[in-house]
Amino acid sequence: MIVADSFRHQKVAVFGLARTGISAARALVAGGAEVLAWDDKPASRDHAAASGVPLADLRAADWSDIAALVLAPGVPLTHPVPHDVVKLARAAGVPVIGDMELFARSSQRAAGTRVIMITGTNGKSTTTALTAHLLAAAGVPVAVGGNLGTAVLDLEPLPAGGVYVFEVSSYQIDLLDTLVPDVGVLLNITPDHLDRHGGMDGYIAVKARLFRDQDMARTAVVGIDDDHVAAIARHLEGRGRKVTELAIGRVLAAGVSATNGTLYEDGEAIFDLTTLPRLPGAHNGQNVAAAFASLRAIGLGAEAILAGLASFPGLAHRMELVGQRGRVRFVNDSKATNADAAAKALAAYDRIYWIAGGKPKAGGITTLGDYWPHIAKAYLIGEAAEDFAATLAGHVPATITGTLDAAVEAAARDATASGDAAPVVLLSPACASFDQFSDYEARGDRFRALVQALGAEAA
C-alpha cells in the first residue's frame, strides 16, 4: 500500500466505496487521517465496513472542518448534474479530488520515480499493460494500475528509478490537481461518456487536461489520426511543449508510426509487427507505437524496448489468442461489447468464422459493412441474433445458434472443414453479455473453456 499521509490529523470525506474508494479510505486511515466514508448503496457500505473503513453519512456531516472530498471516479462530478455530496463539498469550499491526487501528495512517492499516464477512448488498457511489460522486460522497477487492474494506492512504493504506469479514464483526469505525468499519452478520441462531460467538447477538454501542467521536461505522446487529438497536438506544439506524434497507416518523418506491419521511428523502419501474433491489427500498431514512444521519452534505448515485445502475453478478452487446433486459431475478443470495438478484430484477420450477439447496443452491427468480405460465416447468439441475421442477409452466410456452446462447436467444425489457409474462430460479440452471462469476462472464460475442451493447444 502507498500511504496517503498528506492529510494527517485532518478529516477527509470519501464517497463511493467500490475498489478505488475503499483503497483511498484505507490509505488515508494508514496515513493518520480521520476518514468519513459513505456510499449510497447499502451493500457497498457493508463491504467497506467489513474492510475496516469507518462510515459516516456525508449528507448529515459537518463540512466546516473537512479538508477534502475524495470522490470515486464513477460518481458524477459535473454532468449530468453533480452528485449531492459534491454539491455539499463545493458549498463548503472543500476541494474534490481523486485517489491519484492522494498518490501525488504522498511522501511515499520516492524522488526519482516517474509517472506515465495513458488515456484515450480505445486501446488504453493494452497500451498500459504493454508499456509496463516492456519496462519490466528491460529491468526497470514498475508498478501498473489505475483504471486497469490495481487501484493506485494499493500498489507498493517504487524505489528511485522506478516507473508508475497508470491507465486513466476521463473521469479520473477530471479529479486530478497536482499530479503531472512525466509522459502523458493520448491515443484517440471518439464519442464516449458524453453525458458525463456535457457533450463532445467537454469530453475533449477533459482528455486534453492531461497535458495542462506539463513543462519542457515532460513529454506529450499523441495520436494524430483523428482530428480531435491532432488539434490538441497542434495546440501543445504551438505552446512550445515537447510532443511525440503517433500515426498508423502512414510514415511520419518525425514521430513514431506503424503501417503495413512495420514500426517506424522518425521515418526509419525498426520492427516487423507481423511477428507479434498477440498484437494483431492496425489498432495494435498504434498501441505498440505509443508504448515505444513513451519509453523512448523516459530515456530507454530502442533495442531494450523492442526486445520485450515478443514476450507480451496480451490482455485477457481483448483479441486474446486462446488456442490453436491444426490450422484453426481461436481468438477471444469478448471485451468487444459494441460494433466499434468489434471492427478492430474484424479488420485484423482475413478469414473469420465470427461468433457475435448478446444483449444488443444501439445501432447493432450496421456500421460493419466494410468487414463483411473478411467473414466466411457468422454464428449468432443471444437476444441480438435475429436482428444481426437480418443485417447480414445477402452479405454474409449466417446461422442462429442461440448459445455460445453451440456457436463454438459449429464454427470450429466449419473452420476445420474449410480449405482456408489460416481460418480464425473469433468471438467478438459487438454486444453486451448480460442476456446470457454475468459480464464479458464470464463470456470470454466460457469461450476459452469450450476451446480447450475441443483439444486445442494453448497459445
Side-chain angles (χ1 to χ4, degrees):
M1 174 194 293
I2 294 172
V3 173
D5 54 8
S6 60
F7 290 99
R8 189 179 301 276
H9 305 311
Q10 299 180 74
K11 284 186 180 180
V12 179
V14 177
F15 187 84
L17 295 175
R19 175 178 63 99
T20 299
I22 289 178
S23 169
R26 291 175 60 247
L28 283 162
V29 169
E34 180 183 345
V35 172
L36 297 81
W38 197 249
D39 193 292
D40 287 334
K41 298 177 182 177
S44 297
R45 296 198 297 268
D46 292 344
H47 177 62
S51 301
V53 174
L55 300 179
D57 186 348
L58 294 177
R59 289 184 177 84
D62 177 5
W63 285 84
S64 64
D65 59 351
I66 292 176
L69 168 62
V70 179
L71 194 68
V75 180
L77 177 67
T78 55
H79 296 86
V81 293
H83 190 277
D84 290 348
V85 171
V86 175
K87 293 178 182 178
L88 289 170
R90 287 177 170 162
V94 173
V96 182
I97 60 176
D99 66 323
M100 289 189 179
E101 187 59 29
L102 294 177
F103 162 84
R105 302 181 188 189
S106 172
S107 66
Q108 288 196 315
R109 182 186 168 191
T113 58
R114 287 165 290 181
V115 176
I116 297 173
M117 300 177 73
I118 298 166
T119 195
T121 307
N122 298 300
K124 55 186 177 289
S125 293
T126 297
T127 302
T128 299
L130 177 60
T131 302
H133 172 83
L134 295 174
L135 283 163
V140 178
V142 61
V144 58
N147 197 53
L148 174 70
T150 306
V152 297
L153 295 170
D154 284 341
L155 298 170
E156 292 302 314
L158 291 175
V163 180
Y164 294 95
V165 183
F166 296 153
E167 176 186 326
V168 288
S169 68
S170 56
Y171 303 166
Q172 290 167 314
I173 296 172
D174 237 354
L175 294 166
L176 295 178
D177 184 14
T178 65
L179 180 58
V180 182
D182 296 280
V183 180
V185 181
L186 176 54
L187 296 167
N188 45 60
I189 297 178
T190 57
D192 201 13
H193 307 306
L194 301 189
D195 58 330
R196 278 289 301 268
H197 299 296
M200 193 65 182
D201 288 345
Y203 181 53
I204 294 168
V206 168
K207 291 294 192 184
R209 184 181 172 191
L210 183 67
F211 310 112
R212 182 185 62 184
D213 296 322
Q214 284 190 315
D215 55 26
M216 281 301 294
R218 306 168 192 265
T219 303
V221 174
V222 290
I224 59 169
D225 293 315
D226 69 73
D227 292 341
H228 304 305
V229 185
I232 292 170
R234 289 194 298 270
H235 175 73
L236 293 171
E237 289 164 345
R239 295 179 61 189
R241 301 291 179 85
K242 187 186 297 184
V243 176
T244 299
E245 294 184 349
L246 308 173
I248 55 175
R250 54 182 164 146
V251 178
L252 296 178
V256 182
S257 47
T259 186
N260 296 325
T262 301
L263 182 69
Y264 294 83
E265 182 180 29
D266 295 337
E268 180 182 351
I270 58 171
F271 192 84
D272 181 1
L273 296 171
T274 65
T275 63
L276 304 175
R278 289 178 173 80
L279 289 165
H283 69 292
N284 272 319
Q286 185 188 48
N287 297 337
V288 173
F292 179 85
S294 300
L295 301 185
R296 291 290 274 156
I298 64 168
L300 265 66
E303 289 186 6
I305 300 168
L306 298 174
L309 283 173
S311 58
F312 179 60
L315 287 179
H317 314 298
R318 294 168 174 85
M319 293 178 66
E320 175 193 12
L321 180 61
V322 296
Q324 183 160 348
R325 191 178 69 172
R327 307 180 328 276
V328 182
R329 290 174 290 165
F330 296 85
V331 175
N332 167 24
D333 193 38
S334 184
K335 182 66 166 62
T337 58
N338 56 51
D340 184 60
K344 308 295 191 301
L346 294 176
Y349 306 104
D350 293 326
R351 199 64 177 160
I352 299 169
Y353 294 78
W354 183 34
I355 300 172
K359 189 173 181 63
K361 298 285 184 73
I365 55 173
T366 57
T367 60
L368 298 178
D370 288 347
Y371 307 104
W372 299 157
H374 295 215
I375 302 169
K377 189 172 181 180
Y379 307 81
L380 306 176
I381 66 176
E383 292 178 8
E386 291 188 5
D387 285 344
F388 281 17
T391 301
L392 294 170
H395 305 287
V396 174
T399 182
I400 295 176
T401 62
T403 67
L404 180 60
D405 293 41
V408 171
E409 180 181 358
R413 181 182 63 245
D414 292 348
T416 301
S418 75
D420 300 332
V424 173
V425 173
L426 171 67
L427 171 66
S428 190
C431 283
S433 59
F434 305 125
D435 55 342
Q436 295 180 331
F437 298 92
S438 59
D439 51 38
Y440 74 83
E441 287 104 335
R443 179 170 60 189
D445 289 342
R446 180 60 182 167
F447 177 78
R448 186 186 298 106
L450 291 167
V451 170
Q452 292 170 350
L454 291 171
E457 296 181 4

